[in-house]
Amino acid sequence: MTDQYASQQTDVWDVARAAAVLMDAEAQRVDRGPITAEWAGLDLDTAYRVQDEIVCRRVESGEHIVGVKLGLTSRAKQQRMRVDSPSTAWLTDRMVLPAGAPLVVEQLIHPRVEPEIVFVLGERLSGPGVTAARAMEAVSHVYGGLEVIDSRYTDFTFTLPDVVADNASSARFVIGGVARKPDEIDLALEACLLSVNGEVVDSATGAAVQGHPGEALALAANALATRQLALEPGWVVLTGGLTDAVFVEPGSQVSAEFCHLGSVTLRCQ
Ligand code: OOG
Ligand code: MG
């Protein structure tokens, strides 16, 4: 092999290399430019293969899949991130922040926090053709939650394939302590106030997410079905940020106060 050939080899991108690069950025806490800038061939299907490769490697290292999240389901998120298509990504037990546990900011690159409506499934939900009404029948309980996102890309600048490959910026999430049955509340009208250090900085209702968070759940089931996957009983589903996410730093305290789903607070250190 000539030297020239060897150096060309290191420039070759594939699913395994993209997965390794993104996992390394997370482990080293160093952001990087979008992969599509170097690998024009990273289309959406390939990006989901990168995402799946990352979750496989996480499972091989002992993590367990606990559910899925939706990304970019609200206009607030789509406008901020300049990506207007929703996507799905994986949640593992390593991302769970127990209620009351602090968010250690230095473990992450540049975390942001966003309020979400969270479902726990009582039964398997498998597409295609899942409607919001059918999706809601599979929900056992609804919670308020906060998701901590931490894009591995500099300044959270990415295209849809980039963010899908990066497991939709997943980092941590916390679920509130108030559980409701899905038929107890009107989720489209469920209001949420987002506060930072005691000051309200944003607000939304559940309708911000695809008109109703059940639509986001149906979207997840139908999207997974295109990859011969389904939502499993007991899985957590984060339906997507209701508002734009807020940056946090050590000492910040972020709260989401829901009408019927209680308050969820995250202390950062
Ligand atoms: C992508 C993740 C989006 C949501 O709830 O919309 C997301 C990002 O904003 O970095 O988690
Ligand atoms: Mg989110």
Side-chain angles (χ1 to χ4, degrees), residues 6-43:
S7 74
Q8 278 173 359
Q9 282 290 292
T10 59
D11 287 343
V12 172
W13 281 93
D14 59 15
V15 168
R17 179 175 171 203
V21 158
L22 288 166
M23 292 184 83
D24 195 50
E26 179 175 358
Q28 305 298 323
R29 284 161 227 136
V30 180
D31 52 355
R32 54 157 294 126
I35 291 179
T36 49
E38 294 168 56
W39 185 18
L42 182 66
D43 59 16

Side-chain angles (χ1 to χ4, degrees), residues 69-71 77 114 116 147 149 238 240-241:
K69 62 170 270 185
L70 285 120
K77 289 287 305 179
E114 55 195 20
E116 306 214 5
E147 184 185 17
I149 50 173
L238 302 185

Side-chain angles (χ1 to χ4, degrees), residues 69-74 77 81 112 114 116 147 149 151 156 158 163 168-169 239-241:
K69 62 170 270 185
L70 285 120
L72 307 169
T73 47
S74 68
K77 289 287 305 179
M81 309 323 291
R112 288 179 175 180
E114 55 195 20
E116 306 214 5
E147 184 185 17
I149 50 173
S151 177
F156 281 74
F158 43 66
V163 68
S169 312
T239 57

Side-chain angles (χ1 to χ4, degrees), residues 80-190:
R80 165 67 68 172
M81 309 323 291
R82 301 197 178 146
V83 173
D84 59 8
S85 306
S87 54
T88 64
W90 297 109
L91 299 175
T92 73
D93 57 345
R94 161 124 173 68
M95 301 171 189
V96 176
L97 273 177
L103 174 70
V104 182
V105 172
E106 69 174 17
Q107 291 177 350
L108 301 173
I109 304 169
H110 45 198
R112 288 179 175 180
V113 179
E114 55 195 20
E116 306 214 5
I117 289 174
V118 182
F119 294 137
V120 172
L121 295 186
E123 57 183 76
R124 192 163 198 264
L125 185 60
S126 167
V130 173
T131 60
R134 164 69 198 110
M136 291 308 297
E137 286 170 8
V139 173
S140 78
H141 290 96
V142 186
Y143 299 82
L146 288 171
E147 184 185 17
V148 181
I149 50 173
D150 194 35
S151 177
R152 270 54 70 172
Y153 302 116
T154 308
D155 297 331
F156 281 74
T157 300
F158 43 66
T159 65
L160 179 61
D162 287 307
V163 68
V164 164
D166 187 28
N167 201 32
S169 312
S170 301
R172 303 277 188 274
F173 65 94
V174 55
I175 299 179
V178 175
R180 296 278 183 182
K181 295 271 187 202
D183 56 4
E184 283 174 4
I185 47 180
D186 182 341
L187 280 180
L189 288 175
E190 179 68 9

